[in-house]
Amino acid sequence: MNLPRLTCERARSICIMETLAKLGHFPSRIAEKEAWFLSPLRSETQASFKVSLILNRWYDHGIGTGGNGLDLIVAIQKCSVKEALEFLSNKQDSFSFQQPILKKNTASKIEVFEVKPIQHPGMIQYLESRGISLLTAEQYCEEVWYEFKGKQYFALGLQNNAEGWELRNKYFKGSSSPKTYTYLETNSDHLILLEGMFDLLSLAELFPDELINSDIAILNSLAFLQRITPHFKNYKEVHLYLDNDLPGNKNRKKLLQDYKNTKDRSELFQGYKDLNEKLILTGKTRKELNK
Protein backbone atom coordinates (compact mmCIF):
# COMPACT_ATOMS: atom_id res chain seq x y z
CA MET A 1 0.00 0.00 0.00
CA ASN A 2 1.40 3.40 -0.97
CA LEU A 3 1.47 5.82 1.92
CA PRO A 4 0.41 9.44 1.26
CA ARG A 5 3.17 12.01 0.98
CA LEU A 6 3.74 14.02 4.10
CA THR A 7 3.07 17.70 4.34
CA CYS A 8 5.64 19.99 5.97
CA GLU A 9 3.19 20.71 8.78
CA ARG A 10 2.77 17.04 9.64
CA ALA A 11 6.50 16.32 9.30
CA ARG A 12 7.32 19.09 11.78
CA SER A 13 5.33 17.19 14.41
CA ILE A 14 7.37 13.98 14.38
CA CYS A 15 8.44 12.97 17.84
CA ILE A 16 12.04 14.12 18.22
CA MET A 17 12.90 11.69 21.00
CA GLU A 18 11.66 8.73 18.97
CA THR A 19 13.33 10.03 15.80
CA LEU A 20 16.69 10.29 17.54
CA ALA A 21 16.31 6.77 18.94
CA LYS A 22 15.35 5.48 15.50
CA LEU A 23 18.56 6.98 14.14
CA GLY A 24 20.64 5.46 16.95
CA HIS A 25 20.96 8.39 19.38
CA PHE A 26 19.91 7.97 23.01
CA PRO A 27 19.83 10.50 25.87
CA SER A 28 22.72 10.91 28.28
CA ARG A 29 20.22 12.10 30.89
CA ILE A 30 16.52 12.84 31.15
CA ALA A 31 14.91 15.40 33.44
CA GLU A 32 11.24 16.15 33.97
CA LYS A 33 10.94 18.56 31.05
CA GLU A 34 13.98 17.93 28.90
CA ALA A 35 16.48 15.33 27.67
CA TRP A 36 20.16 15.84 26.89
CA PHE A 37 22.10 14.05 24.15
CA LEU A 38 25.58 13.98 22.73
CA SER A 39 25.00 15.97 19.56
CA PRO A 40 24.08 13.89 16.50
CA LEU A 41 25.38 16.76 14.36
CA ARG A 42 29.01 16.85 15.57
CA SER A 43 31.51 15.21 17.90
CA GLU A 44 31.48 16.16 21.56
CA THR A 45 32.26 14.66 24.95
CA GLN A 46 29.61 16.44 27.05
CA ALA A 47 25.94 16.38 26.14
CA SER A 48 24.84 19.82 24.92
CA PHE A 49 22.02 18.82 22.58
CA LYS A 50 18.71 19.50 24.36
CA VAL A 51 15.25 18.18 23.52
CA SER A 52 12.24 19.81 25.16
CA LEU A 53 9.81 17.08 26.18
CA ILE A 54 7.07 19.68 26.52
CA LEU A 55 7.47 21.54 23.22
CA ASN A 56 8.93 18.67 21.14
CA ARG A 57 11.75 20.96 19.99
CA TRP A 58 15.54 20.51 19.91
CA TYR A 59 18.46 22.88 20.36
CA ASP A 60 22.18 22.23 19.88
CA HIS A 61 23.99 24.61 22.22
CA GLY A 62 27.33 23.85 20.58
CA ILE A 63 26.36 25.37 17.24
CA GLY A 64 23.41 27.55 18.30
CA THR A 65 20.89 25.79 16.07
CA GLY A 66 17.56 24.16 16.80
CA GLY A 67 14.08 23.53 15.51
CA ASN A 68 11.36 20.97 14.97
CA GLY A 69 11.40 17.36 13.83
CA LEU A 70 11.63 18.20 10.12
CA ASP A 71 14.54 20.54 10.80
CA LEU A 72 16.27 17.72 12.65
CA ILE A 73 16.00 15.30 9.72
CA VAL A 74 17.36 17.97 7.36
CA ALA A 75 20.30 18.62 9.70
CA ILE A 76 21.20 14.98 10.40
CA GLN A 77 20.72 13.74 6.82
CA LYS A 78 22.30 16.89 5.35
CA CYS A 79 19.53 17.08 2.81
CA SER A 80 16.88 19.47 1.49
CA VAL A 81 13.37 19.79 2.94
CA LYS A 82 12.04 17.99 -0.14
CA GLU A 83 14.45 15.09 0.37
CA ALA A 84 13.59 14.95 4.08
CA LEU A 85 9.87 14.73 3.25
CA GLU A 86 10.58 11.90 0.80
CA PHE A 87 12.64 10.10 3.47
CA LEU A 88 9.84 10.42 6.03
CA SER A 89 7.11 9.55 3.53
CA ASN A 90 8.82 6.24 2.86
CA LYS A 91 9.08 5.49 6.57
CA GLN A 92 5.79 6.71 8.03
CA ASP A 93 5.27 3.38 9.73
CA SER A 94 8.60 3.83 11.53
CA PHE A 95 8.07 7.31 12.99
CA SER A 96 5.58 8.60 15.53
CA PHE A 97 3.77 11.85 14.83
CA GLN A 98 2.64 12.50 18.37
CA GLN A 99 4.40 13.26 21.61
CA PRO A 100 5.12 10.00 23.50
CA ILE A 101 4.70 9.38 27.21
CA LEU A 102 8.28 9.18 28.44
CA LYS A 103 9.70 7.20 31.28
CA LYS A 104 13.27 7.30 32.44
CA ASN A 105 15.64 4.54 31.34
CA THR A 106 13.16 2.99 28.89
CA ALA A 107 15.03 3.69 25.66
CA SER A 108 14.79 0.80 23.23
CA LYS A 109 18.01 -1.08 22.57
CA ILE A 110 19.57 -2.19 19.33
CA GLU A 111 19.82 -5.98 19.31
CA VAL A 112 22.29 -7.55 16.88
CA PHE A 113 21.05 -10.94 15.64
CA GLU A 114 23.33 -11.76 12.69
CA VAL A 115 26.86 -10.88 11.57
CA LYS A 116 28.15 -11.98 8.18
CA PRO A 117 30.52 -10.94 5.38
CA ILE A 118 29.45 -7.87 3.42
CA GLN A 119 27.28 -9.00 0.53
CA HIS A 120 24.00 -7.08 0.38
CA PRO A 121 23.86 -4.95 -2.80
CA GLY A 122 22.57 -1.99 -0.81
CA MET A 123 25.55 -2.21 1.52
CA ILE A 124 28.01 -2.37 -1.36
CA GLN A 125 26.31 0.60 -3.00
CA TYR A 126 26.56 2.56 0.25
CA LEU A 127 30.29 1.82 0.46
CA GLU A 128 30.76 2.99 -3.11
CA SER A 129 28.97 6.25 -2.29
CA ARG A 130 31.55 6.82 0.46
CA GLY A 131 34.45 5.99 -1.86
CA ILE A 132 35.21 2.66 -0.17
CA SER A 133 35.87 -0.55 -2.10
CA LEU A 134 34.48 -3.87 -0.92
CA LEU A 135 38.08 -5.16 -0.76
CA THR A 136 38.95 -2.50 1.81
CA ALA A 137 35.74 -2.73 3.83
CA GLU A 138 35.82 -6.48 4.27
CA GLN A 139 39.26 -6.27 5.90
CA TYR A 140 37.81 -4.43 8.91
CA CYS A 141 34.01 -4.57 8.79
CA GLU A 142 31.05 -6.94 8.59
CA GLU A 143 27.45 -6.77 7.46
CA VAL A 144 25.49 -6.54 10.70
CA TRP A 145 21.76 -7.22 10.97
CA TYR A 146 19.98 -5.82 13.99
CA GLU A 147 16.52 -5.33 15.43
CA PHE A 148 15.17 -2.09 16.82
CA LYS A 149 11.61 -1.64 18.08
CA GLY A 150 10.50 -4.83 16.37
CA LYS A 151 11.90 -3.92 12.97
CA GLN A 152 14.96 -5.41 11.29
CA TYR A 153 17.74 -3.46 9.59
CA PHE A 154 21.26 -3.99 8.30
CA ALA A 155 24.35 -1.81 8.45
CA LEU A 156 28.09 -1.75 7.98
CA GLY A 157 29.59 -2.80 11.31
CA LEU A 158 32.95 -2.27 13.00
CA GLN A 159 33.28 -4.21 16.24
CA ASN A 160 34.65 -2.46 19.31
CA ASN A 161 36.72 -3.86 22.17
CA ALA A 162 33.65 -4.65 24.27
CA GLU A 163 32.02 -6.66 21.45
CA GLY A 164 29.58 -3.90 20.62
CA TRP A 165 29.22 -2.61 17.08
CA GLU A 166 29.54 0.77 15.39
CA LEU A 167 26.78 0.75 12.76
CA ARG A 168 26.48 2.82 9.59
CA ASN A 169 24.21 2.84 6.59
CA LYS A 170 22.76 5.49 4.29
CA TYR A 171 20.15 6.57 6.85
CA PHE A 172 21.65 5.55 10.15
CA LYS A 173 24.66 6.33 12.34
CA GLY A 174 24.69 4.64 15.73
CA SER A 175 25.96 1.72 17.75
CA SER A 176 24.91 -1.31 19.74
CA SER A 177 25.77 -1.64 23.42
CA PRO A 178 28.26 -1.61 24.94
CA LYS A 179 29.90 1.31 23.13
CA THR A 180 33.65 1.92 23.38
CA TYR A 181 36.77 2.26 21.22
CA THR A 182 38.17 -0.27 18.74
CA TYR A 183 41.79 -1.32 19.25
CA LEU A 184 43.53 -3.38 16.54
CA GLU A 185 46.87 -4.64 17.84
CA THR A 186 49.76 -6.18 15.89
CA ASN A 187 52.50 -5.77 18.54
CA SER A 188 53.84 -2.75 16.69
CA ASP A 189 55.76 0.17 18.22
CA HIS A 190 53.68 2.53 16.07
CA LEU A 191 50.05 3.53 16.74
CA ILE A 192 47.57 5.25 14.44
CA LEU A 193 44.75 7.17 16.16
CA LEU A 194 41.52 7.79 14.21
CA GLU A 195 38.12 9.17 15.17
CA GLY A 196 35.76 6.85 13.34
CA MET A 197 35.10 3.87 11.10
CA PHE A 198 35.20 5.80 7.84
CA ASP A 199 38.45 7.49 8.82
CA LEU A 200 39.99 4.01 9.00
CA LEU A 201 38.49 2.86 5.71
CA SER A 202 39.42 6.11 3.96
CA LEU A 203 43.00 5.94 5.23
CA ALA A 204 43.19 2.41 3.83
CA GLU A 205 42.02 3.72 0.45
CA LEU A 206 44.10 6.88 0.28
CA PHE A 207 47.30 5.93 2.09
CA PRO A 208 47.36 2.14 2.57
CA ASP A 209 51.09 2.11 3.38
CA GLU A 210 50.38 4.11 6.53
CA LEU A 211 48.60 1.11 8.02
CA ILE A 212 51.32 -1.44 7.36
CA ASN A 213 52.86 -2.81 10.58
CA SER A 214 50.86 -0.39 12.74
CA ASP A 215 48.49 -0.79 15.64
CA ILE A 216 45.24 1.10 15.12
CA ALA A 217 42.92 2.80 17.61
CA ILE A 218 39.50 3.99 16.40
CA LEU A 219 37.86 6.13 19.07
CA ASN A 220 34.26 5.73 17.79
CA SER A 221 33.66 8.86 19.88
CA LEU A 222 36.01 11.51 21.24
CA ALA A 223 34.48 10.65 24.60
CA PHE A 224 36.75 7.58 24.67
CA LEU A 225 39.99 9.46 24.10
CA GLN A 226 40.98 9.22 27.77
CA ARG A 227 40.61 5.44 27.63
CA ILE A 228 43.14 5.23 24.81
CA THR A 229 45.84 7.64 25.99
CA PRO A 230 47.20 5.27 28.71
CA HIS A 231 48.34 3.03 25.82
CA PHE A 232 50.48 5.80 24.31
CA LYS A 233 53.41 4.94 26.57
CA ASN A 234 53.75 1.59 24.78
CA TYR A 235 54.60 3.21 21.45
CA LYS A 236 57.58 4.90 19.90
CA GLU A 237 55.25 7.03 17.78
CA VAL A 238 51.53 7.82 17.86
CA HIS A 239 50.20 9.35 14.64
CA LEU A 240 47.10 11.54 15.02
CA TYR A 241 44.44 11.64 12.30
CA LEU A 242 41.83 13.68 14.17
CA ASP A 243 39.28 15.69 12.22
CA ASN A 244 39.98 19.23 11.05
CA ASP A 245 37.16 20.72 13.10
CA LEU A 246 36.93 22.48 16.46
CA PRO A 247 36.82 19.33 18.67
CA GLY A 248 39.49 17.61 16.60
CA ASN A 249 41.78 20.63 16.65
CA LYS A 250 41.33 21.11 20.38
CA ASN A 251 42.12 17.48 21.23
CA ARG A 252 45.00 17.33 18.76
CA LYS A 253 46.63 20.37 20.34
CA LYS A 254 46.33 18.91 23.83
CA LEU A 255 47.70 15.51 22.82
CA LEU A 256 50.69 17.09 21.09
CA GLN A 257 51.39 19.08 24.26
CA ASP A 258 50.95 16.18 26.69
CA TYR A 259 52.63 13.33 24.79
CA LYS A 260 56.05 13.81 23.20
CA ASN A 261 55.67 10.69 21.02
CA THR A 262 52.61 12.06 19.18
CA LYS A 263 52.74 13.39 15.63
CA ASP A 264 50.05 15.30 13.77
CA ARG A 265 49.16 13.75 10.40
CA SER A 266 46.24 16.00 9.49
CA GLU A 267 48.34 17.56 6.74
CA LEU A 268 47.44 14.49 4.67
CA PHE A 269 43.88 15.81 4.43
CA GLN A 270 44.50 19.54 4.79
CA GLY A 271 41.61 21.56 3.43
CA TYR A 272 39.09 18.80 4.22
CA LYS A 273 37.15 18.05 7.40
CA ASP A 274 38.31 14.44 7.53
CA LEU A 275 39.82 11.63 5.50
CA ASN A 276 36.52 10.51 4.02
CA GLU A 277 35.67 13.99 2.78
CA LYS A 278 39.04 14.11 1.04
CA LEU A 279 38.45 10.67 -0.45
CA ILE A 280 35.00 11.56 -1.78
CA LEU A 281 35.93 14.99 -3.13
CA THR A 282 39.19 13.93 -4.75
CA GLY A 283 37.79 10.63 -6.01
CA LYS A 284 41.04 8.80 -5.29
CA THR A 285 40.72 5.15 -4.39
CA ARG A 286 43.18 2.42 -3.61
CA LYS A 287 42.68 0.98 -7.11
CA GLU A 288 43.55 4.30 -8.75
CA LEU A 289 46.53 4.91 -6.49
CA ASN A 290 47.98 1.51 -7.36
CA LYS A 291 47.86 2.09 -11.11
Side-chain angles (χ1 to χ4, degrees):
M1 180 180 68
N2 292 326
L3 294 170
R5 288 182 59 83
L6 286 176
T7 63
C8 284
E9 181 178 0
R10 180 165 168 78
R12 293 187 189 105
S13 71
I14 62 172
C15 173
I16 292 173
M17 287 290 288
E18 188 170 303
T19 298
L20 285 167
K22 181 71 177 176
L23 297 175
H25 303 283
F26 302 98
S28 297
R29 64 182 187 276
I30 299 179
E32 182 179 353
K33 298 181 180 180
E34 61 195 28
W36 292 86
F37 294 73
L38 292 173
S39 175
L41 306 179
R42 56 193 171 81
S43 297
E44 65 174 351
T45 57
Q46 294 185 336
S48 63
F49 185 96
K50 183 178 76 170
V51 175
S52 169
L53 306 182
I54 306 299
L55 301 176
N56 192 34
R57 294 291 186 271
W58 62 274
Y59 188 81
D60 190 326
H61 287 268
I63 54 178
T65 299
N68 54 49
L70 180 58
D71 298 325
L72 181 62
I73 294 294
V74 168
I76 291 178
Q77 300 294 119
K78 295 182 174 61
C79 64
S80 66
V81 170
K82 180 181 178 181
E83 290 169 331
L85 288 172
E86 290 176 354
F87 171 74
L88 290 169
S89 294
N90 293 332
K91 297 178 179 293
Q92 289 187 55
D93 59 339
S94 299
F95 289 92
S96 170
F97 293 84
Q98 58 185 6
Q99 188 78 344
I101 299 173
L102 293 166
K103 297 181 181 180
K104 294 185 180 181
N105 302 320
T106 59
S108 296
K109 289 180 62 177
I110 291 172
E111 298 289 347
V112 172
F113 64 86
E114 185 177 7
V115 176
K116 58 185 178 181
I118 302 167
Q119 59 188 37
H120 194 286
M123 197 78 274
I124 296 172
Q125 184 179 28
Y126 171 61
L127 286 167
E128 290 175 349
S129 75
R130 301 294 297 264
I132 308 299
S133 67
L134 179 59
L135 175 65
T136 294
E138 62 188 7
Q139 291 184 59
Y140 303 101
C141 300
E142 305 285 352
E143 182 175 306
V144 178
W145 287 75
Y146 61 94
E147 184 172 298
F148 180 72
K149 289 192 173 181
K151 298 181 183 295
Q152 295 182 355
Y153 308 90
F154 64 91
L156 183 69
L158 174 70
Q159 192 168 36
N160 64 38
N161 270 43
E163 299 187 350
W165 291 89
E166 288 298 309
L167 302 170
R168 302 288 186 275
N169 63 37
K170 185 177 180 180
Y171 303 109
F172 176 78
K173 178 180 179 180
S175 59
S176 66
S177 297
K179 182 177 175 73
T180 188
Y181 60 86
T182 300
Y183 194 22
L184 308 176
E185 297 180 82
T186 61
N187 296 316
S188 174
D189 62 357
H190 175 246
L191 177 68
I192 286 176
L193 182 68
L194 301 152
E195 285 197 32
M197 179 195 309
F198 276 97
D199 294 316
L200 169 63
L201 299 177
S202 300
L203 185 62
E205 292 285 1
L206 289 165
F207 309 106
D209 290 346
E210 297 290 316
L211 294 167
I212 296 175
N213 298 322
S214 294
D215 288 1
I216 307 167
I218 305 98
L219 294 172
N220 297 323
S221 169
L222 284 171
F224 299 120
L225 183 57
Q226 296 306 312
R227 298 187 188 182
I228 283 291
T229 52
H231 295 284
F232 284 10
K233 65 181 182 294
N234 301 323
Y235 295 95
K236 182 178 179 180
E237 283 191 329
V238 177
H239 286 191
L240 310 177
Y241 292 83
L242 301 181
D243 291 356
N244 288 321
D245 57 12
L246 187 60
N249 294 337
K250 179 180 177 181
N251 283 285
R252 181 186 304 112
K253 181 178 179 180
K254 181 170 176 54
L255 290 174
L256 291 169
Q257 290 174 343
D258 293 349
Y259 300 92
K260 301 303 182 185
N261 60 340
T262 56
K263 181 179 180 180
D264 179 23
R265 298 292 281 159
S266 62
E267 80 277 358
L268 291 177
F269 50 102
Q270 186 175 3
Y272 303 93
K273 177 182 178 293
D274 55 30
L275 284 158
N276 190 241
E277 183 176 274
K278 176 183 174 70
L279 176 62
I280 291 172
L281 294 181
T282 61
K284 293 179 180 178
T285 66
R286 171 186 287 188
K287 182 177 180 181
E288 292 169 330
L289 290 168
N290 288 338
K291 283 183 177 180

